[in-house]
Amino acid sequence: MINQRYLREGRGRLPRGLAAPDHSRTGRFNPGGSATEDLTGLPPAWIGVGTLDLFHDEDVAYARRLSDSGVPCDLDVVPGAFHGFDFVFPKAEVSREFWRRQARALEGAL
């Protein structure tokens, strides 16, 4: 999935040869932008995102929509973290703690 908004920033258009499918009506690959209004009945969710992640705003909006629909949702925002920080720096304590929080959420769900 190519994030068109991110690629267009500062350019006004996608780079030549790149085209992303339009999922704006289905919300596919972009739950925060989903056309589905009512998210009632979805399973509990854990969402982890950094403040510098290009998906930060979408993730926070989706977590809010889940919560507003009565879906239990834990939103874990990591200050100063970028997308994939935990893979780039897997041994950093912030990454290790992020992984532990993910594991605890999964353990609680199972």
Side-chain angles (χ1 to χ4, degrees), residues 1 11 23-24 26 39 46 49 51 56 59 72 83 99 104:
M1 169 66 185
R11 293 181 158 186
H23 295 295
S24 61
T26 65
L39 303 176
W46 178 87
V49 65
T51 56
H56 172 271
D59 289 357
H83 188 79
W99 186 89
R104 280 195 297 268

Side-chain angles (χ1 to χ4, degrees), residues 17-61:
L18 289 181
D22 180 11
H23 295 295
S24 61
R25 290 190 302 157
T26 65
R28 188 173 175 199
F29 300 119
N30 183 7
S34 172
T36 304
E37 294 296 324
D38 185 11
L39 303 176
T40 303
L42 289 178
W46 178 87
I47 298 173
V49 65
T51 56
L52 301 179
D53 192 312
L54 64 115
F55 298 111
H56 172 271
D57 294 345
E58 293 169 54
D59 289 357
V60 171

Side-chain angles (χ1 to χ4, degrees), residues 43-96:
W46 178 87
I47 298 173
V49 65
T51 56
L52 301 179
D53 192 312
L54 64 115
F55 298 111
H56 172 271
D57 294 345
E58 293 169 54
D59 289 357
V60 171
Y62 185 52
R64 186 172 296 122
R65 291 185 60 222
L66 286 168
S67 184
D68 290 348
S69 293
V71 177
C73 180
D74 290 326
L75 176 63
D76 192 352
V77 179
V78 182
F82 54 88
H83 188 79
F85 77 95
D86 50 330
F87 291 104
V88 176
F89 301 107
K91 293 184 180 182
E93 183 54 33
V94 66
S95 299
R96 294 165 56 118

